[in-house]
Amino acid sequence: MQKETYERIFKEIQSRKNGILLLRIMGRGLTYITAFCYVAAVAVSFLVFSYQEGTICILVPAVSFLAVSVFRKGINAERPYEKYSFKPLIEKDTKGKSFPSRHVFSIFVIGSTLAWLYPVVGIVVCLMGCILAAIRVLSGVHFPKDVVAGGVIGIACGCLAGFFL
């Protein structure tokens, strides 16, 4: 996306009553809801299924998260607000490390990992990931390619869990 596109989006969001506040609350809310679902699902996995299922639900996202963190640090891609010199709509001052989006990656790896044991929960979390991806772009902290890559890599890593479950 170009600077003008971000400016039009920002103008539209800012023209809505509580537009920025709603964007921020939704972004944080989706993150917290996902974290709650993840912790609850892992706990239930240990109680209902077995030690192996619970461990896999922890290890696949954790190892994948570390790998993505190292990968994106190496690429060190600029964020939209750096490239175009604007203030993002959500609080963010990180330099670089935009590709892939780790927020979007995280929600999709959690959703696709949980989908193996709890299909409905996994699908709901992945749908929340689509909303979070849009929020990250609309707020100016990621380019569309960052969130698409984060989602695809997250789903691919979560699918690895199926080989172990």
Side-chain angles (χ1 to χ4, degrees):
M1 284 185 2
Q2 299 299 315
K3 182 177 183 176
E4 296 79 23
T5 307
Y6 282 104
E7 288 172 346
R8 276 183 289 180
I9 291 169
F10 286 12
K11 187 176 179 181
E12 182 65 31
I13 291 169
Q14 290 167 333
S15 73
R16 308 282 176 169
K17 183 178 180 179
N18 298 318
I20 295 172
L21 179 63
L22 182 60
L23 195 73
R24 290 176 181 173
I25 289 171
M26 286 178 59
R28 272 214 186 132
L30 291 170
T31 302
Y32 291 136
I33 291 167
T34 300
F36 175 79
C37 289
Y38 179 56
V39 169
V42 168
V44 170
S45 295
F46 278 111
L47 295 171
V48 173
F49 292 104
S50 74
Y51 179 76
Q52 179 183 348
E53 279 83 357
T55 303
I56 289 167
C57 286
I58 292 172
L59 285 180
V60 169
V63 171
S64 301
F65 182 85
L66 291 173
V68 164
S69 296
V70 169
F71 175 75
R72 78 187 212 139
K73 186 175 183 181
I75 292 176
N76 201 28
E78 276 186 313
R79 293 174 177 275
Y81 61 82
E82 288 179 276
K83 183 174 181 177
Y84 300 132
S85 299
F86 60 73
K87 184 178 179 192
L89 297 180
I90 60 176
E91 302 291 326
K92 193 79 172 165
D93 61 3
T94 303
K95 302 292 183 210
K97 298 180 275 186
S98 182
F99 182 87
S101 167
R102 207 165 46 184
H103 272 85
V104 174
F105 162 80
S106 296
I107 199 167
F108 276 99
V109 74
I110 288 169
S112 57
T113 298
L114 294 181
W116 292 102
L117 298 174
Y118 313 101
V120 173
V121 173
I123 290 168
V124 169
V125 170
C126 286
L127 289 173
M128 292 188 320
C130 294
I131 298 168
L132 183 65
I135 290 169
R136 303 296 288 176
V137 172
L138 294 175
S139 62
V141 298
H142 283 292
F143 290 104
K145 67 180 167 88
D146 302 336
V147 299
V148 169
V152 169
I153 295 167
I155 290 169
C157 290
C159 286
L160 288 174
F163 292 111
F164 302 107
L165 291 172

PDB file of all heavy atoms in Angstrom, residues 59-75 99-100 102 105 153 157 160:
ATOM      1  N   LEU A  59       4.583 -26.882  22.394  1.00  0.00           N
ATOM      2  CA  LEU A  59       5.852 -26.860  21.665  1.00  0.00           C
ATOM      3  C   LEU A  59       5.748 -26.345  20.236  1.00  0.00           C
ATOM      4  O   LEU A  59       6.614 -25.584  19.798  1.00  0.00           O
ATOM      5  CB  LEU A  59       6.491 -28.255  21.656  1.00  0.00           C
ATOM      6  CG  LEU A  59       7.125 -28.707  22.957  1.00  0.00           C
ATOM      7  CD1 LEU A  59       7.710 -30.104  22.814  1.00  0.00           C
ATOM      8  CD2 LEU A  59       8.209 -27.725  23.391  1.00  0.00           C
ATOM      9  N   VAL A  60       4.728 -26.751  19.498  1.00  0.00           N
ATOM     10  CA  VAL A  60       4.636 -26.317  18.097  1.00  0.00           C
ATOM     11  C   VAL A  60       4.549 -24.790  18.001  1.00  0.00           C
ATOM     12  O   VAL A  60       5.355 -24.174  17.292  1.00  0.00           O
ATOM     13  CB  VAL A  60       3.474 -27.017  17.357  1.00  0.00           C
ATOM     14  CG1 VAL A  60       3.208 -26.370  16.008  1.00  0.00           C
ATOM     15  CG2 VAL A  60       3.788 -28.500  17.173  1.00  0.00           C
ATOM     16  N   PRO A  61       3.631 -24.129  18.704  1.00  0.00           N
ATOM     17  CA  PRO A  61       3.615 -22.665  18.633  1.00  0.00           C
ATOM     18  C   PRO A  61       4.886 -22.012  19.185  1.00  0.00           C
ATOM     19  O   PRO A  61       5.383 -21.039  18.612  1.00  0.00           O
ATOM     20  CB  PRO A  61       2.389 -22.265  19.459  1.00  0.00           C
ATOM     21  CG  PRO A  61       1.501 -23.456  19.393  1.00  0.00           C
ATOM     22  CD  PRO A  61       2.444 -24.632  19.411  1.00  0.00           C
ATOM     23  N   ALA A  62       5.441 -22.563  20.267  1.00  0.00           N
ATOM     24  CA  ALA A  62       6.617 -21.949  20.895  1.00  0.00           C
ATOM     25  C   ALA A  62       7.839 -22.012  19.983  1.00  0.00           C
ATOM     26  O   ALA A  62       8.524 -20.999  19.766  1.00  0.00           O
ATOM     27  CB  ALA A  62       6.915 -22.616  22.236  1.00  0.00           C
ATOM     28  N   VAL A  63       8.122 -23.182  19.449  1.00  0.00           N
ATOM     29  CA  VAL A  63       9.287 -23.337  18.566  1.00  0.00           C
ATOM     30  C   VAL A  63       9.092 -22.517  17.291  1.00  0.00           C
ATOM     31  O   VAL A  63      10.017 -21.855  16.809  1.00  0.00           O
ATOM     32  CB  VAL A  63       9.546 -24.833  18.256  1.00  0.00           C
ATOM     33  CG1 VAL A  63      10.599 -25.004  17.180  1.00  0.00           C
ATOM     34  CG2 VAL A  63       9.941 -25.575  19.528  1.00  0.00           C
ATOM     35  N   SER A  64       7.878 -22.545  16.756  1.00  0.00           N
ATOM     36  CA  SER A  64       7.579 -21.769  15.546  1.00  0.00           C
ATOM     37  C   SER A  64       7.735 -20.278  15.805  1.00  0.00           C
ATOM     38  O   SER A  64       8.265 -19.543  14.966  1.00  0.00           O
ATOM     39  CB  SER A  64       6.150 -22.062  15.077  1.00  0.00           C
ATOM     40  OG  SER A  64       5.972 -23.422  14.803  1.00  0.00           O
ATOM     41  N   PHE A  65       7.279 -19.817  16.952  1.00  0.00           N
ATOM     42  CA  PHE A  65       7.385 -18.402  17.320  1.00  0.00           C
ATOM     43  C   PHE A  65       8.850 -17.973  17.356  1.00  0.00           C
ATOM     44  O   PHE A  65       9.217 -16.920  16.840  1.00  0.00           O
ATOM     45  CB  PHE A  65       6.721 -18.156  18.681  1.00  0.00           C
ATOM     46  CG  PHE A  65       6.731 -16.725  19.132  1.00  0.00           C
ATOM     47  CD1 PHE A  65       5.747 -15.849  18.715  1.00  0.00           C
ATOM     48  CD2 PHE A  65       7.725 -16.260  19.975  1.00  0.00           C
ATOM     49  CE1 PHE A  65       5.760 -14.520  19.125  1.00  0.00           C
ATOM     50  CE2 PHE A  65       7.744 -14.937  20.399  1.00  0.00           C
ATOM     51  CZ  PHE A  65       6.757 -14.068  19.969  1.00  0.00           C
ATOM     52  N   LEU A  66       9.688 -18.799  17.964  1.00  0.00           N
ATOM     53  CA  LEU A  66      11.118 -18.484  18.026  1.00  0.00           C
ATOM     54  C   LEU A  66      11.729 -18.431  16.627  1.00  0.00           C
ATOM     55  O   LEU A  66      12.505 -17.522  16.315  1.00  0.00           O
ATOM     56  CB  LEU A  66      11.859 -19.504  18.889  1.00  0.00           C
ATOM     57  CG  LEU A  66      11.550 -19.452  20.386  1.00  0.00           C
ATOM     58  CD1 LEU A  66      12.221 -20.622  21.107  1.00  0.00           C
ATOM     59  CD2 LEU A  66      11.999 -18.126  20.989  1.00  0.00           C
ATOM     60  N   ALA A  67      11.371 -19.379  15.776  1.00  0.00           N
ATOM     61  CA  ALA A  67      11.909 -19.409  14.412  1.00  0.00           C
ATOM     62  C   ALA A  67      11.470 -18.176  13.619  1.00  0.00           C
ATOM     63  O   ALA A  67      12.287 -17.551  12.923  1.00  0.00           O
ATOM     64  CB  ALA A  67      11.460 -20.685  13.701  1.00  0.00           C
ATOM     65  N   VAL A  68      10.203 -17.806  13.727  1.00  0.00           N
ATOM     66  CA  VAL A  68       9.704 -16.623  13.019  1.00  0.00           C
ATOM     67  C   VAL A  68      10.371 -15.358  13.556  1.00  0.00           C
ATOM     68  O   VAL A  68      10.707 -14.451  12.794  1.00  0.00           O
ATOM     69  CB  VAL A  68       8.157 -16.527  13.104  1.00  0.00           C
ATOM     70  CG1 VAL A  68       7.647 -15.147  12.723  1.00  0.00           C
ATOM     71  CG2 VAL A  68       7.533 -17.581  12.211  1.00  0.00           C
ATOM     72  N   SER A  69      10.589 -15.294  14.854  1.00  0.00           N
ATOM     73  CA  SER A  69      11.244 -14.125  15.451  1.00  0.00           C
ATOM     74  C   SER A  69      12.660 -13.943  14.907  1.00  0.00           C
ATOM     75  O   SER A  69      13.070 -12.828  14.564  1.00  0.00           O
ATOM     76  CB  SER A  69      11.286 -14.244  16.974  1.00  0.00           C
ATOM     77  OG  SER A  69       9.977 -14.239  17.488  1.00  0.00           O
ATOM     78  N   VAL A  70      13.404 -15.030  14.801  1.00  0.00           N
ATOM     79  CA  VAL A  70      14.764 -14.975  14.258  1.00  0.00           C
ATOM     80  C   VAL A  70      14.725 -14.592  12.774  1.00  0.00           C
ATOM     81  O   VAL A  70      15.493 -13.734  12.321  1.00  0.00           O
ATOM     82  CB  VAL A  70      15.497 -16.332  14.460  1.00  0.00           C
ATOM     83  CG1 VAL A  70      16.803 -16.378  13.680  1.00  0.00           C
ATOM     84  CG2 VAL A  70      15.736 -16.579  15.940  1.00  0.00           C
ATOM     85  N   PHE A  71      13.809 -15.194  12.030  1.00  0.00           N
ATOM     86  CA  PHE A  71      13.659 -14.921  10.601  1.00  0.00           C
ATOM     87  C   PHE A  71      13.362 -13.450  10.343  1.00  0.00           C
ATOM     88  O   PHE A  71      14.003 -12.803   9.533  1.00  0.00           O
ATOM     89  CB  PHE A  71      12.550 -15.821  10.031  1.00  0.00           C
ATOM     90  CG  PHE A  71      12.220 -15.561   8.594  1.00  0.00           C
ATOM     91  CD1 PHE A  71      13.070 -15.992   7.585  1.00  0.00           C
ATOM     92  CD2 PHE A  71      11.040 -14.908   8.245  1.00  0.00           C
ATOM     93  CE1 PHE A  71      12.751 -15.761   6.249  1.00  0.00           C
ATOM     94  CE2 PHE A  71      10.721 -14.675   6.917  1.00  0.00           C
ATOM     95  CZ  PHE A  71      11.577 -15.107   5.909  1.00  0.00           C
ATOM     96  N   ARG A  72      12.390 -12.897  11.054  1.00  0.00           N
ATOM     97  CA  ARG A  72      12.003 -11.509  10.794  1.00  0.00           C
ATOM     98  C   ARG A  72      13.060 -10.520  11.277  1.00  0.00           C
ATOM     99  O   ARG A  72      13.209  -9.444  10.708  1.00  0.00           O
ATOM    100  CB  ARG A  72      10.620 -11.200  11.360  1.00  0.00           C
ATOM    101  CG  ARG A  72      10.557 -10.961  12.825  1.00  0.00           C
ATOM    102  CD  ARG A  72       9.109 -10.834  13.263  1.00  0.00           C
ATOM    103  NE  ARG A  72       9.036  -9.913  14.364  1.00  0.00           N
ATOM    104  CZ  ARG A  72       8.098  -9.005  14.530  1.00  0.00           C
ATOM    105  NH1 ARG A  72       7.143  -8.891  13.657  1.00  0.00           N
ATOM    106  NH2 ARG A  72       8.107  -8.214  15.556  1.00  0.00           N
ATOM    107  N   LYS A  73      13.808 -10.892  12.303  1.00  0.00           N
ATOM    108  CA  LYS A  73      14.907 -10.035  12.739  1.00  0.00           C
ATOM    109  C   LYS A  73      15.982  -9.974  11.658  1.00  0.00           C
ATOM    110  O   LYS A  73      16.567  -8.923  11.416  1.00  0.00           O
ATOM    111  CB  LYS A  73      15.496 -10.539  14.057  1.00  0.00           C
ATOM    112  CG  LYS A  73      16.535  -9.624  14.635  1.00  0.00           C
ATOM    113  CD  LYS A  73      17.023 -10.084  15.992  1.00  0.00           C
ATOM    114  CE  LYS A  73      18.020  -9.082  16.547  1.00  0.00           C
ATOM    115  NZ  LYS A  73      18.522  -9.508  17.852  1.00  0.00           N
ATOM    116  N   GLY A  74      16.223 -11.098  11.000  1.00  0.00           N
ATOM    117  CA  GLY A  74      17.196 -11.141   9.915  1.00  0.00           C
ATOM    118  C   GLY A  74      16.769 -10.321   8.711  1.00  0.00           C
ATOM    119  O   GLY A  74      17.581  -9.640   8.088  1.00  0.00           O
ATOM    120  N   ILE A  75      15.490 -10.370   8.383  1.00  0.00           N
ATOM    121  CA  ILE A  75      14.971  -9.594   7.245  1.00  0.00           C
ATOM    122  C   ILE A  75      14.910  -8.114   7.606  1.00  0.00           C
ATOM    123  O   ILE A  75      15.243  -7.259   6.804  1.00  0.00           O
ATOM    124  CB  ILE A  75      13.589 -10.116   6.815  1.00  0.00           C
ATOM    125  CG1 ILE A  75      13.747 -11.504   6.207  1.00  0.00           C
ATOM    126  CG2 ILE A  75      12.914  -9.171   5.832  1.00  0.00           C
ATOM    127  CD1 ILE A  75      12.467 -12.169   5.823  1.00  0.00           C
ATOM    128  N   PHE A  99       8.162  -7.930   8.798  1.00  0.00           N
ATOM    129  CA  PHE A  99       7.800  -9.078   7.961  1.00  0.00           C
ATOM    130  C   PHE A  99       8.373 -10.362   8.532  1.00  0.00           C
ATOM    131  O   PHE A  99       9.583 -10.457   8.718  1.00  0.00           O
ATOM    132  CB  PHE A  99       8.335  -8.887   6.538  1.00  0.00           C
ATOM    133  CG  PHE A  99       7.974 -10.004   5.606  1.00  0.00           C
ATOM    134  CD1 PHE A  99       6.775  -9.981   4.926  1.00  0.00           C
ATOM    135  CD2 PHE A  99       8.827 -11.077   5.426  1.00  0.00           C
ATOM    136  CE1 PHE A  99       6.434 -11.015   4.063  1.00  0.00           C
ATOM    137  CE2 PHE A  99       8.492 -12.120   4.572  1.00  0.00           C
ATOM    138  CZ  PHE A  99       7.298 -12.081   3.886  1.00  0.00           C
ATOM    139  N   PRO A 100       7.534 -11.344   8.787  1.00  0.00           N
ATOM    140  CA  PRO A 100       6.082 -11.351   8.790  1.00  0.00           C
ATOM    141  C   PRO A 100       5.530 -10.805  10.105  1.00  0.00           C
ATOM    142  O   PRO A 100       6.263 -10.700  11.087  1.00  0.00           O
ATOM    143  CB  PRO A 100       5.748 -12.836   8.642  1.00  0.00           C
ATOM    144  CG  PRO A 100       6.888 -13.550   9.298  1.00  0.00           C
ATOM    145  CD  PRO A 100       8.100 -12.680   9.057  1.00  0.00           C
ATOM    146  N   ARG A 102       4.214 -10.846  13.515  1.00  0.00           N
ATOM    147  CA  ARG A 102       4.270 -11.859  14.575  1.00  0.00           C
ATOM    148  C   ARG A 102       2.932 -11.974  15.303  1.00  0.00           C
ATOM    149  O   ARG A 102       2.585 -13.053  15.779  1.00  0.00           O
ATOM    150  CB  ARG A 102       5.409 -11.544  15.545  1.00  0.00           C
ATOM    151  CG  ARG A 102       5.947 -12.762  16.217  1.00  0.00           C
ATOM    152  CD  ARG A 102       7.256 -12.547  16.881  1.00  0.00           C
ATOM    153  NE  ARG A 102       7.270 -11.321  17.670  1.00  0.00           N
ATOM    154  CZ  ARG A 102       8.341 -10.868  18.294  1.00  0.00           C
ATOM    155  NH1 ARG A 102       9.475 -11.520  18.222  1.00  0.00           N
ATOM    156  NH2 ARG A 102       8.286  -9.768  18.994  1.00  0.00           N
ATOM    157  N   PHE A 105       0.914 -14.081  12.856  1.00  0.00           N
ATOM    158  CA  PHE A 105       1.484 -15.424  12.885  1.00  0.00           C
ATOM    159  C   PHE A 105       1.014 -16.166  14.149  1.00  0.00           C
ATOM    160  O   PHE A 105       0.574 -17.314  14.080  1.00  0.00           O
ATOM    161  CB  PHE A 105       3.020 -15.377  12.860  1.00  0.00           C
ATOM    162  CG  PHE A 105       3.640 -16.659  13.320  1.00  0.00           C
ATOM    163  CD1 PHE A 105       3.732 -17.739  12.461  1.00  0.00           C
ATOM    164  CD2 PHE A 105       4.067 -16.809  14.632  1.00  0.00           C
ATOM    165  CE1 PHE A 105       4.258 -18.953  12.899  1.00  0.00           C
ATOM    166  CE2 PHE A 105       4.597 -18.004  15.075  1.00  0.00           C
ATOM    167  CZ  PHE A 105       4.695 -19.082  14.207  1.00  0.00           C
ATOM    168  N   ILE A 153       2.316 -18.576   7.210  1.00  0.00           N
ATOM    169  CA  ILE A 153       3.352 -19.287   7.975  1.00  0.00           C
ATOM    170  C   ILE A 153       2.748 -19.872   9.259  1.00  0.00           C
ATOM    171  O   ILE A 153       3.069 -20.998   9.653  1.00  0.00           O
ATOM    172  CB  ILE A 153       4.542 -18.358   8.280  1.00  0.00           C
ATOM    173  CG1 ILE A 153       5.240 -17.952   6.978  1.00  0.00           C
ATOM    174  CG2 ILE A 153       5.533 -19.030   9.236  1.00  0.00           C
ATOM    175  CD1 ILE A 153       6.231 -16.799   7.134  1.00  0.00           C
ATOM    176  N   CYS A 157       2.763 -23.827  10.104  1.00  0.00           N
ATOM    177  CA  CYS A 157       3.375 -24.344  11.340  1.00  0.00           C
ATOM    178  C   CYS A 157       2.347 -25.087  12.182  1.00  0.00           C
ATOM    179  O   CYS A 157       2.655 -26.138  12.758  1.00  0.00           O
ATOM    180  CB  CYS A 157       4.009 -23.199  12.137  1.00  0.00           C
ATOM    181  SG  CYS A 157       5.482 -22.512  11.342  1.00  0.00           S
ATOM    182  N   LEU A 160       1.789 -28.595  11.145  1.00  0.00           N
ATOM    183  CA  LEU A 160       2.802 -29.532  11.605  1.00  0.00           C
ATOM    184  C   LEU A 160       2.356 -30.279  12.859  1.00  0.00           C
ATOM    185  O   LEU A 160       2.724 -31.440  13.066  1.00  0.00           O
ATOM    186  CB  LEU A 160       4.113 -28.804  11.903  1.00  0.00           C
ATOM    187  CG  LEU A 160       4.913 -28.288  10.726  1.00  0.00           C
ATOM    188  CD1 LEU A 160       6.104 -27.478  11.211  1.00  0.00           C
ATOM    189  CD2 LEU A 160       5.353 -29.433   9.837  1.00  0.00           C
TER     190      LEU A 160
END
